[in-house]
Amino acid sequence: MPEYLAPGVFVEEVSFRSKSIEGVSTTTTGFIGPCRYGPVTEEPDILTSLTEFERTYGDGNQLAFGADGATTGPNYLWQAARSFFEEGGKRLYVSRVFRPLSGNYPSDLAALFGSEERFPDGHARLLVGTAPDQFRIVARYPGEAGKLKLRFTVRLGANVLGSLPDPGGGPTPVPTLANLADGDVVWITAPKALLDPAAPDAPPPPAGPAPAPDANPPATARTIASLPLYVARKDAATGVWRFHGLTPDRVAANPAGFLIGDFDPNLASGGDSIRPVSLSLDVLTNDGRSLGAWSGLPLDPKHKSAGVPDGLFDLFSLKGKVSIGLPVVLLNGSVAADATVSNTIEDGSELLKALDSLDTGFDLKISKIEWDDAGRNELAALKKKFERGLVATAYLKGGNDGLLPGRTEYEGRAEPTDDHATGLKQFESIEDISIVAGPGSTWKANDRSEDVAAITNLLIAHAEKMRYRIAVLDSHEAMKIADVRKLKAKLDSKYAALYYPWVTVFDPVTRQPLNLPPSGFVAGIYARNDTERAVYKAPANEVVRGAIGFETLINTAQQEVLNPEGINAFRFFEGRGNRLWGARTISSDPEWKYVNIRRYFAYLERSIDKGTQWAVFEPNGEALWANVRATIRDFLINEWASGALLGDKPEKAFFVRCDRSTMTQNDLDNGRLVCLIGVAPLKPAEFVIFRIGQWTADQKS
């Protein structure tokens, strides 16, 4: 109660109605399985199209398992995602499972990047440069598709040197700098300050006449030390800019660097310019598909913007919010036996030398520039190359798809002290998933029957644990009817449904017919059914849009054997196409025989769960009970009005009790509010029967 201590007018907000319950989504799906690329331990992000799937988890090319990649097979996870979105699915989470060639995939990613020998199998990588100027590029995720192509481009930016009138009224303009950050690497063209032999930082003129240019300079003379590259540093106290030579000989010659005042303020006649040098990075797949492009990156590894490190090795680091999701990791330096990293790239010139070692068109291997007319011409030619952009390309090597994942990888792990989770453990923290499946988990079941059976049981156990989910189970490939009956005889759960046979599609990758496990199609049909009709409508008698046929054609007599046992069949009907023709769970409990009943109750339970959280810790008395009854009753009346419940009146369709008849004094003493809810759901018209008999005209109706 508010306190009223002083006279006045007080306006308060009050509620005269019960709280409302909003129905939850029932179409969000979670797929688990191996794929070409993508995160293994990071929390899955929601996907809304096949394009988004490919951007994170790679394309639909085949997977190659084993040390020599000899066991090849279709990319069932990509195929399932494609089928899911084709059939009408909207929202998808993916948990990628990966089994390295040896050991287990670590949950702590920091353990992956110790030394090159300790890299886990599956991560493509490359060592760039030669000691001491070298760094490592590592594919962030394992997989054959991790053999990426990285294109580094270095180019000059616009001139940031300008002038303003002398504030003292003098005739000489004052040089100024704009859009320059502390730590930027710059190319300086200043005829008076740099090329004049009397300038403090210019190399001394050669003794005697200028030597003729060497058409074939020796390799020892090839260097980038003579490029006019400097690091811009701003004095925080005075605001004065200084430019320090990148290379040791320039630093030794002029440790203090150049002041901005050393430049000719008469820009029109002096020709001075200060142009930042920036790096661009494009990451592409082997077939040229872009995984991301980053431009305007500073060359200085220690660069900061607004006090935040944003150098190349900070942006593409292993950890941090900025780097999560980037396709590669860049590690600065060599790694010792104790897995400690010592930085070897300390400045922009060292990074340029490392990139120059790729020898793919970067072309900084020029003869040492002498400060005469010939040297100036050579410098001008190199400057034009910088303006166009110098490109170096790196190709990562060594990625592989590991071994075919099994029970351990599908089950996953998530320790309380870990920041990472794998396998089905990843889905436990995602509340909005309503459908879960493992497309391709039953592939090669004859060769690994125990693993496949364990994975199937894991999917069922996960759905039962999470309560508001249903597991879509795949039959095995090339199964006969007797075999699928044996498979079903080992299963019993009201949280799962089994589908048979596999669906035949036209594979856009191989351009050949391909048999696929049905779960991807079924999950999409569930979503389409819920969107176009409602979750209480049985997801059956629906066209399979992506199918060109089925692995096994089933007739009515055969389905009469399968249907009573809870095996949902795909059927072809002349004139009506390929259809899903079954809507039963694998439960032996007749109360939970139908998929739509199971899914509708999950919808009701989760909606009420989320919509009544406000009641926790409220005073447990008549007022609260009445409010809870009204809240749930309003929600169920809306469900009845929409046709989800059986009965011509609300009283016949449901009841809600929350009073002393549902709670004992012991319940109240222990803080329990007990509400009893009963609903009359609609069962599907699985058998439509028309009874027809003869009628004579003289009989009365």
Side-chain angles (χ1 to χ4, degrees):
M1 291 290 292
E3 291 185 339
Y4 305 106
L5 302 178
V9 176
F10 302 92
V11 178
E12 301 173 0
E13 292 182 355
V14 296
S15 176
F16 296 105
R17 51 165 294 175
S18 59
K19 308 291 185 181
S20 61
I21 296 177
E22 181 181 2
V24 298
S25 169
T26 59
T27 62
T28 304
T29 300
F31 284 162
I32 182 172
C35 56
R36 295 260 296 162
Y37 198 56
V40 177
T41 60
E42 293 177 11
E43 183 178 350
D45 199 2
I46 194 165
L47 308 173
T48 59
S49 67
L50 184 62
T51 301
E52 289 185 5
F53 177 96
E54 291 179 335
R55 188 179 299 124
T56 304
Y57 296 99
D59 56 31
N61 288 327
Q62 288 193 335
L63 298 173
F65 299 107
D68 54 359
T71 305
T72 60
N75 189 341
Y76 288 117
L77 193 62
W78 179 86
Q79 297 282 2
R82 173 173 171 262
S83 302
F84 173 76
F85 290 116
E86 277 188 357
E87 297 298 333
K90 301 295 183 183
R91 292 175 298 277
L92 176 67
Y93 288 96
V94 170
S95 176
R96 183 192 179 197
V97 293
F98 180 80
R99 180 182 178 186
L101 296 178
S102 61
N104 295 322
Y105 195 80
S107 59
D108 182 5
L109 287 182
L112 303 184
F113 301 96
S115 65
E116 187 168 4
E117 292 74 23
R118 288 165 54 186
F119 275 9
D121 290 318
H123 283 259
R125 63 268 191 182
L126 180 68
L127 183 64
V128 179
T130 56
D133 306 316
Q134 60 185 9
F135 65 95
R136 297 172 186 270
I137 307 174
V138 186
R140 187 177 187 88
Y141 310 120
E144 181 77 18
K147 297 177 180 178
L148 303 172
K149 178 169 67 175
L150 280 74
R151 187 166 58 215
F152 297 89
T153 305
V154 178
R155 58 169 49 92
L156 294 180
N159 183 19
V160 296
L161 179 63
S163 65
L164 291 173
D166 187 352
T172 305
V174 178
T176 62
L177 291 174
N179 300 321
L180 189 65
D182 186 68
D184 278 352
V185 174
V186 294
W187 176 293
I188 297 178
T189 303
K192 292 186 177 181
L194 297 184
L195 300 185
D196 186 345
D201 196 37
D214 187 355
N216 298 294
T220 56
R222 293 176 176 268
T223 176
I224 65 170
S226 300
L227 299 181
L229 296 176
Y230 295 81
V231 177
R233 298 294 183 194
K234 187 174 184 179
D235 190 294
T238 64
V240 174
W241 285 94
R242 289 184 178 273
F243 301 90
H244 301 268
L246 279 177
T247 54
D249 57 337
R250 293 202 172 189
V251 174
N254 187 6
F258 289 102
L259 287 170
I260 187 175
D262 292 332
F263 299 97
D264 186 353
N266 190 358
L267 302 178
S269 60
D272 294 353
S273 67
I274 301 177
R275 302 176 66 176
V277 182
S278 64
L279 178 70
S280 297
L281 174 60
D282 296 273
V283 182
L284 307 100
T285 61
N286 276 333
D287 58 2
R289 182 168 52 88
S290 175
L291 295 180
W294 296 264
S295 60
L297 303 175
L299 286 179
D300 185 2
K302 302 174 182 178
H303 192 275
K304 294 182 179 181
S305 292
V308 179
D310 63 347
L312 187 67
F313 301 110
D314 291 303
L315 178 63
F316 289 87
S317 64
L318 181 61
K319 295 191 179 234
K321 293 182 179 179
V322 176
S323 65
I324 289 178
L326 298 186
V328 294
V329 175
L330 273 64
L331 300 173
N332 183 7
S334 58
V335 184
D338 60 356
T340 59
V341 179
S342 58
N343 293 344
T344 60
I345 305 295
E346 295 289 346
D347 59 40
S349 67
E350 293 169 350
L351 181 59
L352 289 174
K353 283 188 281 185
L355 294 175
D356 198 21
S357 70
L358 291 171
D359 198 18
T360 53
F362 207 73
D363 195 17
L364 281 178
K365 298 181 176 67
I366 61 172
S367 59
K368 187 173 178 64
I369 298 172
E370 301 295 345
W371 298 101
D372 56 11
D373 290 339
R376 296 185 189 194
N377 292 337
E378 189 175 7
L379 187 64
L382 185 59
K383 180 182 176 183
K384 289 182 179 180
K385 289 184 179 181
F386 262 85
E387 290 173 339
R388 292 193 299 267
L390 300 176
V391 179
T393 306
Y395 297 89
L396 303 191
K397 303 175 182 178
N400 62 75
D401 295 326
L403 301 175
L404 186 62
R407 172 199 165 90
T408 302
E409 288 72 36
Y410 277 84
E411 183 178 16
R413 59 189 187 278
E415 298 296 332
T417 57
D418 270 349
D419 293 333
H420 310 287
T422 60
L424 286 169
K425 298 291 184 182
Q426 289 183 334
F427 287 163
E428 292 183 6
S429 61
I430 304 175
E431 291 187 358
D432 54 339
I433 293 178
S434 300
I435 308 162
V436 65
S441 61
T442 59
W443 182 53
K444 289 190 173 295
N446 293 334
D447 300 331
R448 53 190 194 106
S449 57
E450 293 182 357
D451 239 2
V452 169
I455 294 171
T456 300
N457 289 331
L458 283 172
L459 290 169
I460 296 173
H462 172 80
E464 291 179 343
K465 178 181 179 180
M466 302 308 293
R467 293 184 54 202
Y468 305 140
R469 297 179 184 175
I470 187 169
V472 178
L473 307 179
D474 294 319
S475 54
H476 306 168
E477 59 183 330
M479 253 191 164
K480 297 180 180 179
I481 290 180
D483 296 328
V484 74
R485 293 179 65 194
K486 291 178 182 178
L487 173 64
K488 165 57 185 69
K490 301 175 183 178
L491 306 173
D492 189 351
S493 174
K494 63 181 180 180
Y495 289 94
L498 176 64
Y499 290 85
Y500 170 82
W502 283 29
V503 181
T504 305
V505 301
F506 180 80
D507 183 10
V509 177
T510 62
R511 300 182 182 275
Q512 298 292 329
L514 175 67
N515 293 322
L516 296 178
S519 55
F521 301 88
V522 174
I525 290 172
Y526 279 8
R528 184 175 80 213
N529 175 81
D530 295 358
T531 302
E532 296 180 355
R533 297 291 299 276
V535 66
Y536 58 81
K537 190 265 179 188
N541 196 4
E542 297 285 344
V543 174
V544 186
R545 294 173 178 172
I548 61 173
F550 301 113
E551 186 179 41
T552 302
L553 292 180
I554 297 175
N555 57 35
T556 301
Q558 292 169 325
Q559 191 173 13
E560 287 177 348
V561 176
L562 299 175
N563 194 65
E565 297 182 12
I567 302 171
N568 300 311
F570 287 93
R571 297 276 306 274
F572 169 74
F573 296 94
E574 191 73 37
R576 300 180 62 227
N578 300 303
R579 291 181 177 260
L580 174 56
W581 204 249
R584 293 195 176 193
T585 69
I586 58 174
S587 176
S588 60
D589 185 349
E591 197 170 26
W592 301 104
K593 178 166 58 176
Y594 294 110
V595 168
N596 61 303
I597 299 298
R598 172 65 273 163
R599 298 186 67 235
Y600 182 63
F601 267 77
Y603 161 78
L604 289 180
E605 292 167 12
R606 185 159 177 255
S607 298
I608 294 173
D609 183 353
K610 294 188 67 176
T612 56
Q613 292 294 319
W614 56 268
V616 180
F617 291 112
E618 289 292 308
N620 197 4
E622 294 288 351
L624 178 62
W625 305 341
N627 204 347
V628 169
R629 288 196 302 269
T631 297
I632 298 175
R633 179 178 174 82
D634 290 346
F635 174 64
L636 294 179
I637 283 179
N638 186 66
E639 291 296 308
W640 169 77
S642 65
L645 300 177
L646 184 64
D648 57 356
K649 295 187 293 186
E651 292 77 13
K652 295 182 179 180
F654 65 87
F655 68 83
V656 181
R657 296 176 192 158
C658 184
D659 48 37
R660 289 304 294 261
S661 68
T662 63
M663 289 170 277
T664 65
Q665 187 60 43
N666 184 62
D667 290 325
L668 298 177
D669 292 342
N670 287 282
R672 291 192 288 262
L673 183 153
V674 181
C675 183
L676 187 62
I677 305 169
V679 296
L682 290 171
K683 305 291 177 69
E686 190 177 17
F687 308 100
V688 180
I689 303 168
F690 296 96
R691 294 192 172 97
I692 304 175
Q694 292 186 10
W695 179 263
T696 58
D698 60 346
Q699 289 184 344
K700 297 180 180 180
S701 60

